[in-house]
Amino acid sequence: MKRSLLIIYCVCFSIVVCAQKNDQYKLWYTKPADASVKDANEGWKNDEEWLKALPVGNGSIGAMVFGDVNKERLQLNDKTLWSGSPADNDNPDAYASLQEIRNLLFAGKYKEATALTNKTQICKGKGSGNGNGSTAPFGCYQTLGDVWIDFNTNTKDDYKNYYRDLDIMNGIASVKYEQNGIRFKREVFSSYPAQALVIHLSASKPGAISFVLDMNRPERFTTVTENKRLVMSGVMNNGEGGEGMRYKVIVTPVIKGGTISVKDNKLVINKSNEATLVITSATNYRLHYPDYTNNNWEAELSKRTNAAISTSFATLKQKHVSDFSAFMNRVSLQLENRGANIPTDELLQKNKLTQNEPYLYALYFQYGRYLLLSSSRKGTLPANLQGMWANKIQTPWNCDYHTDVNVQMNYWPVEVTNLSESHLQLVSLIESLYEPGKKTAAIHYRAKGWVMHPITNVWGFTAPGEHPSWGLHVGASAWMSQHLWEHYAFTMDKAYLQKVFPLLESAALFYTEWLVKDPKTGKLISGPAASPENNFIAPDGSTASISMGPTHDHEVIHDLFTNTLKAAKALNIKNDTIAKIDYALQNLQPPGIGSDGRLMEWAEEFKEVEPTHRHVSHLFALYPGNQISYYSTPDLAMASKKSLELRGDGGTGWSLAMKIGFWTRLHDGDHALKLLNRLLNPVKSSGVEMTNSGGTYDNLFCAHPPFQIDGNFGGTAGMAEMLLQSHETFIELLPALPSSWKNGEVKGLRARGGFTVDIKWENGKVVAASLLSNAGGTCKIKYLDKQIELKTEKGKKYDLSGLIK
């Protein structure tokens, strides 16, 4: 009877939560984003009006929806659209100076070592173009262009009852308003099943839908009309003065009533009852080293387009909602609904004053999941620096894949918030870097295995950057490899682990050959290397970034070695390489604590040039790693806390998000919430700022500034860590619950070991919890000072009331 009641309770609970979720989680506004304001051409500005538009995407094609009454703008992106081309960036002259640099660093001659490093430990060629690679071989992710829907209305015509929203549970952006006595409605979504962007226009009066349709981009395009369609095509710059990637976009109007005609190379829709615009796009790119060309791309685009336009709008919408909501409804977070009736931009401003808007927190949490699902689906590239939404030719930092924290942060929430399938796009990128990474390891370091550095693109770039202060992040492949392991840790999918094990083993093999013995300690250390993007004052008085033994490198290498050994054990693999990795792990330099009580960032207690620097890379072992534990290594945990206190609570958007994760691992939910509120600070500026200007734009995009999406994902991951942690040998419930979150419930969070967890709490205490075993096996669960152990069976759900009685 007790078991039956539990099942009934769980079923009812699920129904209630799903009903609440679909009604609740929306970004909404009472004003449009002004499509008439042109984007700025100077610098990397994202532009204020663009940052009011709302994003939709299916991982392949996306759009920013402005919702302007008189002239709608849909700024488009195709995730594969890059300039540039494959290039040989490995520097054959780098290795000859490697040992001399190490000798100089060991001798304390930092000035001489820095000069030689700057000259030799760099890529060949232009590299990233100093983050402006649109005309370099490295390339740049770019806007696909704009679709303009001009309704030919007098701008002075009054409109009323304006409303626009983004339903993040169903993935639909809507616009509603009244004009001249007619109620108009627009719906926009990017369908994964149809692989098309769909816009539906309707009105309360027959024959009221009339508009002119146009499409363009800032450069390299030709737009023509073909068979009552708009077709835009072009060829990108390959960075060598020649032709690069090819692209094509097709806009097909499907109308009920009215007419379609052509005028001035634009489509004119007149007096239609309703209209559906189907937008499809493609490039001739495929993620496949060394030949990145898809020779069948136009035929595939034609087939996809014809299938989409042959499907009714009702069916397109139904299939899209069914697909999208199935992922989003896996997780529910309920805090309080207070604030749901306030426009999102106003709620953001209100939270600046109150620092306590629970509905905004839950909305932001789900928005992070929405953005990840919308920008990372099966068969697509992973989410980049802006997910997939970018409105420039030269996008900030090339809108590439930064691997010294940023692309990793994009995927921190992917497993714990139950979007595991979206992780595989990052895995595919890593797989594509294996062969070029082996070449870089051999040429730069005369080492076996594969390696990469702090940036990569869609063309297999694995060499160091063009300046060692940021470009000699040798630990990048170790950090990226964490994601290879984490997908297995959460899913327990051994077939997957078997597939990626060679990548783990080869990455670890590189570091066994890269590490050298420290003459002072006898331990194995990394170097020459930087602690990502940070500088110090060396003993010889020079400003330096390169040293022997930066803590961050050792932490990510420790993580890689540990995970590779666990993977080998799971797969029953024993060989000489595994033995070599085990030896290196046992002799790796551990993190140290300085005389001031802080965790040391470098092997020596150097003075920082910028004590509040945005990167806090030497705390990787605290989060997202697990070498430093609140429970098992309390001294290192407290040293990490001391480092955080002196680093401060300021920073760029992603830096603030990372600090949320640190404080949750220290079990300080109130400090984590303080940083979440700081992350939600309203920001208007879209120019580049590198210190203490992080926050959130009106459309809840994260402000670095400029817009950079990693902060959205890091914020969502940090909130999940407040409620559930599983990096220890047990799963812990509510380890860092903020004291102001008195009542709430979370459903569907995932834990390592293949478990799904639901928790409900009142007055800050758990009152109900359950665990679903997705893979079977033994599980330990902890809450406060109590811990239980369960031997689970795959597919069964367990009541955790024993923890709370």
Side-chain angles (χ1 to χ4, degrees):
M1 182 65 182
K2 186 175 182 181
R3 181 182 174 87
S4 298
L5 288 173
L6 173 64
I7 293 172
I8 292 169
Y9 163 77
C10 291
V11 170
C12 292
F13 175 71
S14 299
I15 293 171
V16 170
V17 167
C18 289
Q20 289 175 334
K21 286 191 296 185
N22 285 323
D23 290 335
Q24 181 179 354
Y25 295 122
K26 294 181 180 181
L27 283 69
W28 69 279
Y29 307 83
T30 58
K31 298 177 183 178
D34 191 344
S36 67
V37 177
K38 291 185 177 180
D39 292 345
N41 291 319
E42 73 277 6
W44 287 348
K45 286 186 177 181
N46 292 125
D47 312 295
E48 187 172 334
E49 293 304 312
W50 187 80
L51 291 163
K52 296 175 183 176
L54 298 174
V56 296
N58 65 8
S60 296
I61 184 171
M64 296 292 286
V65 184
F66 280 63
D68 198 315
V69 169
N70 298 302
K71 190 174 185 179
E72 176 66 279
R73 176 189 177 191
L74 298 168
Q75 185 270 310
L76 307 179
N77 286 105
D78 183 303
K79 184 91 80 58
T80 61
L81 188 65
W82 273 70
S83 63
S85 56
D88 180 7
N89 300 109
D90 295 320
N91 183 358
D93 298 327
Y95 180 73
S97 300
L98 183 59
Q99 189 56 51
E100 184 179 353
I101 293 169
R102 286 171 171 165
N103 292 339
L104 288 168
L105 290 170
F106 282 136
K109 297 180 179 180
Y110 288 88
K111 184 176 181 180
E112 293 86 344
T114 296
L116 187 57
T117 301
N118 290 346
K119 182 179 179 181
T120 63
Q121 303 305 299
I122 54 176
C123 62
K124 183 174 68 177
K126 298 179 181 178
S128 71
N130 292 314
N132 291 278
S134 62
T135 58
F138 185 90
C140 174
Y141 180 67
Q142 299 187 3
T143 177
L144 181 58
D146 294 279
V147 168
W148 302 91
I149 309 172
D150 190 344
F151 294 97
N152 291 308
T153 53
N154 189 327
T155 56
K156 295 182 180 179
D157 287 349
D158 290 336
Y159 61 88
K160 61 182 180 179
N161 297 327
Y162 182 90
Y163 172 89
R164 66 183 174 110
D165 70 20
L166 177 63
D167 182 337
I168 62 177
M169 304 311 291
N170 292 322
I172 299 177
S174 300
V175 180
K176 300 175 185 178
Y177 58 91
E178 293 183 36
Q179 191 172 40
N180 298 324
I182 303 171
R183 295 188 302 276
F184 292 92
K185 181 178 180 181
R186 305 173 200 161
E187 295 176 278
V188 184
F189 56 87
S190 188
S191 167
Y192 182 79
Q195 286 296 293
L197 184 68
V198 180
I199 302 97
H200 186 250
L201 310 172
S202 60
S204 62
K205 180 180 178 181
I209 305 294
S210 297
F211 58 90
V212 176
L213 193 61
D214 192 15
M215 178 165 51
N216 55 33
R217 75 187 301 269
E219 65 175 31
R220 294 178 172 267
F221 77 97
T222 300
T223 301
V224 298
T225 56
E226 294 180 0
N227 301 319
K228 297 184 178 180
R229 297 176 177 179
L230 278 182
V231 180
M232 182 172 72
S233 59
V235 183
M236 307 298 281
N237 186 337
N238 74 348
E240 300 281 4
E243 293 187 344
M245 189 184 295
R246 298 179 178 275
Y247 73 89
K248 182 182 286 188
V249 197
I250 303 172
V251 183
T252 307
V254 180
I255 64 173
K256 290 185 178 180
T259 62
I260 301 176
S261 59
V262 177
K263 182 179 180 181
D264 298 329
N265 215 30
K266 302 175 184 179
L267 294 180
V268 180
I269 286 76
N270 191 42
K271 296 183 178 180
S272 175
N273 299 326
E274 62 179 275
T276 301
L277 306 181
V278 177
I279 303 178
T280 51
S281 71
T283 72
N284 68 337
Y285 175 85
R286 63 173 183 165
L287 182 62
H288 186 275
Y289 175 86
D291 181 7
Y292 295 98
T293 303
N294 175 7
N295 292 315
N296 199 39
W297 68 287
E298 288 186 290
E300 293 171 358
L301 174 60
S302 179
K303 181 180 179 180
R304 193 164 67 244
T305 301
N306 290 335
I309 64 176
S310 300
T311 306
S312 70
F313 170 72
T315 300
L316 287 170
K317 181 179 178 181
Q318 181 273 320
K319 288 185 176 181
H320 164 71
V321 171
S322 177
D323 167 73
F324 199 88
S325 63
F327 287 94
M328 290 301 296
N329 283 336
R330 288 176 180 178
V331 173
S332 168
L333 174 60
Q334 302 294 325
L335 296 174
E336 293 180 33
N337 287 339
R338 186 182 76 246
N341 62 342
I342 301 174
T344 304
D345 51 341
E346 296 178 19
L347 183 61
L348 200 62
Q349 292 289 341
K350 184 181 179 186
N351 189 69
K352 182 178 181 179
L353 300 175
T354 66
Q355 302 284 282
N356 184 28
E357 297 300 327
Y359 172 73
L360 178 62
Y361 306 144
L363 178 66
Y364 191 78
F365 172 84
Q366 291 287 23
Y367 189 51
R369 297 182 67 241
Y370 169 86
L371 293 173
L372 186 53
L373 181 62
S374 298
S375 61
S376 188
R377 295 294 299 269
K378 182 179 179 181
T380 70
L381 290 167
N384 57 40
L385 278 175
Q386 292 186 196
M388 68 176 299
W389 300 278
N391 64 330
K392 300 291 185 183
I393 296 297
Q394 179 56 66
T395 44
W397 295 283
N398 298 317
C399 210
D400 65 10
Y401 300 103
H402 270 45
T403 56
D404 60 354
V405 67
N406 310 100
V407 72
Q408 293 94 329
M409 186 179 290
N410 284 3
Y411 287 87
W412 286 352
V414 71
E415 298 291 347
V416 68
T417 70
N418 217 331
L419 295 174
S420 186
E421 297 90 338
S422 291
H423 211 167
L424 296 177
Q425 284 53 258
L426 183 62
V427 172
S428 294
L429 178 68
I430 297 170
E431 289 175 326
S432 77
L433 299 173
Y434 177 57
E435 290 297 335
K438 286 200 297 184
K439 183 170 170 281
T440 297
I443 292 175
H444 275 260
Y445 308 115
R446 301 292 193 270
K448 297 176 183 177
W450 74 279
V451 70
M452 66 182 302
H453 296 81
I455 55 171
T456 192
N457 55 11
V458 298
W459 307 115
F461 188 98
T462 52
E466 56 268 29
H467 196 285
S469 62
W470 59 267
L472 198 58
H473 176 225
V474 189
S477 41
W479 197 342
M480 290 288 277
S481 294
Q482 183 187 44
H483 290 267
L484 300 176
W485 170 257
E486 285 288 86
H487 183 68
Y488 171 74
F490 278 89
T491 64
M492 307 305 289
D493 183 345
K494 281 199 176 180
Y496 158 83
L497 186 62
Q498 189 80 48
K499 178 185 176 185
V500 301
F501 180 78
L503 295 172
L504 283 167
E505 185 180 43
S506 182
L509 176 61
F510 166 79
Y511 291 107
T512 65
E513 302 205 349
W514 162 256
L515 296 169
V516 295
K517 186 175 290 187
D518 186 332
K520 292 181 180 179
T521 66
K523 292 291 186 179
L524 294 176
I525 62 171
S526 174
S531 183
E533 302 186 33
N534 205 0
N535 296 323
F536 57 89
I537 305 299
D540 63 6
S542 64
T543 297
S545 60
I546 304 300
S547 71
M548 295 300 297
T551 298
H552 168 78
D553 272 20
H554 300 157
E555 292 175 337
V556 293
I557 293 169
H558 182 281
D559 187 80
L560 171 61
F561 285 171
T562 301
N563 293 339
T564 304
L565 293 175
K566 287 192 291 187
K569 183 178 180 180
L571 298 172
N572 196 28
I573 294 174
K574 298 179 181 179
N575 56 41
D576 291 344
T577 300
I578 296 303
K580 192 175 181 180
I581 294 168
D582 186 39
Y583 173 83
L585 176 62
Q586 301 307 318
N587 289 276
L588 186 64
Q589 179 74 43
I593 300 175
S595 59
D596 61 359
R598 289 188 293 167
L599 194 77
M600 293 173 63
E601 185 163 0
W602 297 278
E604 299 181 45
E605 293 190 62
F606 300 132
K607 182 180 179 181
E608 301 101 320
V609 173
E610 185 183 349
T612 58
H613 194 270
R614 63 192 178 279
H615 281 266
V616 199
S617 303
H618 61 302
L619 299 193
F620 167 89
L622 178 66
Y623 179 78
N626 60 8
Q627 184 183 2
I628 296 177
S629 163
Y630 179 82
Y631 293 106
S632 59
T633 61
D635 290 346
L636 291 174
M638 290 305 101
S640 300
K641 181 179 180 181
K642 182 72 171 178
S643 292
L644 284 171
E645 289 171 342
L646 293 181
R647 207 68 148 206
D649 290 336
T652 58
W654 65 261
S655 178
L656 297 169
M658 191 175 193
K659 290 173 183 177
I660 294 171
F662 292 145
W663 285 103
T664 63
R665 288 287 175 91
L666 293 171
H667 287 210
D668 192 336
D670 285 342
H671 204 128
L673 179 60
K674 178 182 177 182
L675 281 156
L676 176 59
N677 282 320
R678 178 66 181 80
L679 179 62
L680 289 168
N681 183 56
V683 171
K684 299 294 183 183
S685 171
S686 60
V688 179
E689 298 183 41
M690 302 294 288
T691 53
N692 193 31
S693 300
T696 298
Y697 294 114
D698 282 355
N699 64 359
L700 298 191
F701 272 174
C702 178
H704 177 290
F707 162 49
Q708 199 167 289
I709 205 166
D710 41 18
N712 287 101
F713 298 139
T716 291
M719 280 187 274
E721 290 281 327
M722 294 177 182
L723 306 174
L724 186 76
Q725 294 179 15
S726 62
H727 60 285
E728 304 272 5
T729 57
F730 48 82
I731 298 169
E732 186 168 14
L733 310 183
L734 304 187
L737 183 72
S739 59
S740 61
W741 293 8
K742 300 292 185 184
N743 306 308
E745 56 192 19
V746 66
K747 180 181 175 66
L749 293 182
R750 296 294 299 274
R752 292 168 183 84
F755 301 101
T756 305
V757 180
D758 302 343
I759 312 168
K760 184 176 182 179
W761 66 95
E762 295 175 0
N763 294 317
K765 303 294 182 183
V766 174
V767 295
S770 64
L771 177 143
L772 173 66
S773 178
N774 300 296
T778 301
C779 176
K780 296 179 181 177
I781 309 100
K782 176 179 172 60
Y783 175 60
L784 299 177
D785 59 350
K786 296 184 69 174
Q787 184 170 306
I788 60 174
E789 181 173 313
L790 297 174
K791 293 182 179 179
T792 71
E793 295 181 33
K794 183 178 179 179
K796 287 194 174 183
K797 194 168 189 177
Y798 297 85
D799 182 6
L800 302 180
S801 58
L803 273 175
I804 56 181
K805 289 182 178 177

